[in-house]
Amino acid sequence: MAGHSVQVGSHSHAVTDGILDTLKRAGSGLKEVGVRFALAGGCAGYARGAAPSLHDVDFALVEEDVPLALKTLEGMGFRTERPPEDWLVKAYDKEGVLVDLIFSLADHPVTEAVIARADWLSTAALSLPVLEATDLVISWILPMSEHSCDYGGLLPTVRALREQVDWDRVAGVVAHSPYASTFLVLLERLGVISPPNPVTDITWP
């Protein structure tokens, strides 16, 4: 996808283009070796029609495939590291653009089922698996807490994806979280979504 204008708060066109170039290189490499992954984060929102407000490239992948993903990216010239966090590893291209390889979303392991639900979409002129819109929104709002609760920053992106999302499923998954549930109330009050009927006895991911 190309040609979107950059909104206030986004990086410059040059930086955004650099991130998309890294996305294309890394995604192509992972796809070629058979890593089970899907585009996540802001790049996934962009692939699904939201305006770009990109900081890095996020891929969700099955933890078993992390060694292969790291080996592949290292072979392509990326510098890799394992940070203290126990839910992702990192890779940097020669221009310093960060690629996060995430194997746990909101304290839930990335499963083959999550990857299987991903949609193949054209992103930066490359066909890549992109997290299902419902899973993507859940991955954004379920981690919300008193320390991280940026409703305003997330609202434009979620608004752009609203017709792609199963809001009943989202409501069921996040029902136990007061911060995520309140975000859904905000969406209702703003007329972005209709009041959802939460799906009960739902497991995620």
Side-chain angles (χ1 to χ4, degrees):
M1 301 178 70
H4 287 277
S5 61
V6 179
Q7 293 186 335
V8 174
S10 301
H11 289 296
S12 67
H13 283 288
V15 174
T16 296
D17 289 346
I19 290 172
L20 294 178
D21 287 343
T22 297
L23 183 161
K24 186 174 181 178
R25 287 182 57 233
S28 178
L30 297 179
K31 185 169 72 168
E32 184 175 345
V33 298
V35 171
R36 293 165 290 179
F37 77 98
L39 189 61
C43 287
Y46 171 70
R48 289 192 167 277
S53 181
L54 311 178
H55 303 277
D56 54 22
V57 178
D58 294 328
F59 291 120
L61 75 165
V62 178
E63 186 172 8
E64 293 175 358
D65 288 357
V66 168
L68 176 57
L70 289 176
K71 179 180 178 181
T72 300
L73 294 181
E74 287 169 355
M76 298 173 64
F78 286 74
R79 175 177 61 84
T80 64
E81 67 176 50
R82 292 181 177 270
E85 296 89 347
D86 60 357
W87 52 275
L88 84 169
V89 293
K90 296 177 179 289
Y92 298 85
D93 71 7
K94 294 178 181 178
E95 289 71 38
V97 176
L98 170 62
V99 177
D100 281 332
L101 301 172
I102 301 167
F103 49 87
S104 180
L105 294 168
D107 294 325
H108 292 74
V110 175
T111 63
E112 290 188 57
V114 169
I115 304 304
R117 286 197 296 268
D119 298 307
W120 286 82
L121 301 175
S122 179
T123 310
L126 176 69
S127 179
L128 287 176
V130 178
L131 277 184
E132 180 194 49
T134 302
D135 287 331
L136 186 59
V137 169
I138 292 171
S139 76
W140 287 335
I141 71 174
L142 191 56
M144 286 180 170
S145 70
E146 60 182 309
H147 304 295
S148 178
C149 196
D150 183 9
Y151 291 168
L154 189 57
L155 183 59
T157 302
V158 171
R159 189 193 301 270
L161 271 58
R162 64 189 182 276
E163 294 180 355
Q164 304 175 46
V165 177
D166 181 344
W167 292 106
D168 291 346
R169 184 162 161 253
V170 172
V173 171
V174 307
H176 67 283
S177 167
Y179 301 96
S181 297
T182 299
F183 182 66
L184 297 187
V185 174
L186 176 63
L187 294 179
E188 292 176 37
R189 294 290 299 273
L190 293 174
V192 176
I193 65 173
S194 299
N197 296 307
V199 177
T200 58
D201 299 323
I202 187 170
T203 58
W204 188 84

